[in-house]
Amino acid sequence: MSIFSAMNISASGMTAQQFRTDIIAENIANVNTTRDQYGNTYRRQTVVFEEKSVANSFYETCKSSCCKR
């Protein structure tokens, strides 16, 4: 695993957490909102994370790195 892969993973995680924080802030801001502009009731939003597919698994990456010596 290169340093850039590790940085990409970290950046992806931080972006996901920032998005979740934004949604939580939106829910807090609308806690007293009863209706939207179309007359519908406000429904809290939730964030669901899912795994991002990668070319190699962690095991395969480690194995290939160890065997290059």
Side-chain angles (χ1 to χ4, degrees), residues 1 9 54 56-64:
M1 179 183 291
I9 291 168
V54 292
N56 293 330
S57 70
F58 181 73
Y59 173 76
E60 291 168 346
T61 303
C62 288
K63 185 177 176 185
S64 65

Side-chain angles (χ1 to χ4, degrees), residues 4-60:
F4 295 112
S5 295
M7 295 295 277
N8 189 23
I9 291 168
S10 297
S12 174
M14 287 190 292
T15 301
Q17 293 303 325
Q18 179 64 49
F19 181 70
R20 184 167 72 162
T21 304
D22 291 344
I23 295 300
I24 291 169
E26 217 173 276
N27 287 335
I28 292 170
N30 288 304
V31 72
N32 293 324
T33 303
T34 57
R35 302 272 178 207
D36 67 5
Q37 61 191 9
Y38 303 109
N40 301 322
T41 57
Y42 179 78
R43 302 182 82 156
R44 78 179 177 109
Q45 298 177 359
T46 57
V47 177
V48 178
F49 296 124
E50 69 180 32
E51 181 179 332
K52 206 175 182 184
S53 63
V54 292
N56 293 330
S57 70
F58 181 73
Y59 173 76
E60 291 168 346

